[in-house]
Amino acid sequence: AGRHRQTFTWRGFIIVLLLLTGSSAVVIWLYMSLSDDVTETLVSRREVLTEPRLFLVQCSEDYENYKQFPGCTPKKCGRAVIDSVVTKEEAQALRRLAERGLSLGGSDGGASILDLHSGALSMGKKFVNIYRYFSDQIREVFTEEDFTLYRDVRGRIQRVIAETFGLDSSQMYLTKPTFFSHINSTSAKTTHDEYWHPHIDKVTYGSFDYTSLLYLTDYGVDFGGGRFIFMDPNSNRTVEPRAGRVSFFSSGSENLHRVEKVVWGTRYAITVSFTCDPDHAIADPTLP
Ligand SMILES: *[C@@H]1O[C@H](CO)[C@@H](O)[C@H](O)[C@H]1NC(C)=O
Ligand SMILES: *[C@@H]1O[C@H](CO)[C@@H](O)[C@H](O)[C@H]1NC(C)=O
């Protein structure tokens, strides 16, 4: 009788287990199909793109509210990613430049910036001008080679954007803000730290026509979270950062985007912005 009872208990156990597994599968399936969140990876960290991978989207009407510059104003819109414009070594050198600069300051929240053009550096809950604040000592932090590399890289990015969208590179100008960013998982202390909100660059900065990002660290290796997301009506499309990867896009509403919150590690990138309007051009930075 004892043996019989044991067999019975085992069978019951297996039946309950199967029922539980089955019902949780149904619950998960229902959850997945009812929440209509669609996420696609446009380019993963592991891929290496030696040619630009271009995704065209229809241009928004945003550009019509601004002066038109033939050969530059977006007629062809979209986003592209390429890994062969900046080498891993150059990305490392730029990352070290960013680390040295940012070590002089740093936001209390998780997002800090360093702008070599204006000199703006996050410090606590505000910004300081590194050139004024550290006047003579700045040459102990940055070298001429750093600045030469920075200018060279921005020139290459400008040319690849022009080639990809069929523009005249000489009609594009660097604009502000163009800056290094450092993001970690420390919680935001001011609105300057809130980088994750969806936004449109041309709405935030009217002068922008093309936005580019040069990543200096690897998603999933140096940090978690922090993917770049294009928020299209039917899908969220992500670009996974990779050191040396350049991602660029037309700055209008066709490219509503956000950056996922960084959950561990540190994400370094450079935002390099371009305008078609010479009135909004800024010069390359020079070491004072
Ligand atoms: C995209 O992600 C946001 C949250 O960041 C979500 O609200 C939205 O529904 C998603 N869109 C799609 C089409 O899945
Ligand atoms: C994030 O960066 C800030 C500014 O550099 C720093 O003070 C803070 O300790 C960092 N947080 C983590 C979790 O590393």
Side-chain angles (χ1 to χ4, degrees):
R3 196 173 156 196
H4 182 252
R5 186 151 63 233
Q6 197 176 25
T7 322
F8 184 79
T9 313
W10 270 111
R11 191 186 293 156
F13 177 74
I14 288 165
I15 289 170
V16 167
L17 199 70
L18 284 174
L19 279 175
L20 273 175
T21 317
S23 52
S24 20
V26 168
V27 167
I28 290 170
W29 177 80
L30 270 176
Y31 177 80
M32 302 273 277
S33 52
L34 288 180
S35 71
D36 46 14
D37 275 14
V38 182
T39 305
E40 286 170 62
T41 305
L42 289 184
V43 188
S44 78
R45 195 262 303 169
R46 284 169 197 281
E47 282 181 272
V48 183
L49 303 176
T50 53
E51 291 296 321
R53 180 177 291 170
L54 174 64
F55 305 88
L56 289 173
V57 289
Q58 174 140 32
C59 293
S60 61
E61 290 170 4
D62 297 5
Y63 308 101
E64 290 166 21
N65 304 322
Y66 294 84
K67 201 167 157 194
Q68 303 289 302
F69 297 92
C72 182
T73 300
K75 290 286 170 244
K76 194 170 154 185
C77 293
R79 54 254 349 201
V81 179
I82 181 162
D83 294 311
S84 60
V85 170
V86 177
T87 67
K88 207 105 196 163
E89 291 69 36
E90 289 169 330
Q92 256 162 26
L94 289 166
R95 176 195 166 158
R96 284 194 295 267
L97 191 177
E99 282 170 344
R100 287 197 305 276
L102 285 157
S103 69
L104 303 174
S107 164
D108 287 347
S112 305
I113 65 115
L114 167 64
D115 177 340
L116 293 180
H117 302 266
S118 68
L121 169 72
S122 305
M123 195 177 279
K125 292 188 172 53
K126 51 185 184 30
F127 300 93
V128 295
N129 182 326
I130 41 162
Y131 300 130
R132 229 179 287 145
Y133 208 85
F134 300 98
S135 55
D136 298 340
Q137 290 131 287
I138 208 69
R139 280 184 175 263
E140 290 161 28
V141 184
F142 304 129
T143 64
E144 287 293 354
E145 291 79 67
D146 290 331
F147 278 59
T148 305
L149 174 61
Y150 183 87
R151 289 190 290 263
D152 188 38
V153 161
R154 90 92 167 164
R156 278 184 254 158
I157 295 174
Q158 181 166 344
R159 284 191 294 277
V160 78
I161 297 175
E163 273 164 38
T164 309
F165 286 116
L167 315 168
D168 177 355
S169 169
S170 69
Q171 292 211 60
M172 293 172 66
Y173 308 93
L174 193 65
T175 193
K176 64 178 179 187
T178 282
F179 58 92
F180 286 87
S181 59
H182 161 291
I183 309 178
N184 67 21
S185 60
T186 298
S187 60
K189 299 295 182 293
T190 71
T191 53
H192 298 302
D193 300 318
E194 297 185 13
Y195 56 85
W196 58 84
H197 298 296
H199 64 275
I200 297 158
D201 292 346
K202 196 150 187 77
V203 173
T204 312
Y205 310 103
S207 63
F208 279 38
D209 288 302
Y210 300 94
T211 309
S212 73
L213 297 149
L214 164 58
Y215 295 108
L216 307 177
T217 43
D218 287 328
Y219 167 75
V221 176
D222 299 307
F223 61 90
R227 290 178 301 176
F228 184 98
I229 309 174
F230 289 107
M231 301 180 73
D232 293 337
N234 55 352
S235 180
N236 283 306
R237 301 190 158 101
T238 63
V239 173
E240 299 180 356
R242 172 186 177 88
R245 171 165 290 171
V246 176
S247 155
F248 52 93
F249 51 91
S250 49
S251 308
S253 310
E254 67 278 6
N255 281 316
L256 170 70
H257 63 272
R258 68 184 199 94
V259 173
E260 209 175 35
K261 279 192 187 178
V262 168
V263 291
W264 59 266
T266 307
R267 178 192 199 267
Y268 280 98
I270 314 181
T271 302
V272 187
S273 329
F274 296 95
T275 184
C276 298
D277 189 343
D279 287 346
H280 288 112
I282 61 166
D284 278 316
T286 49
L287 199 52

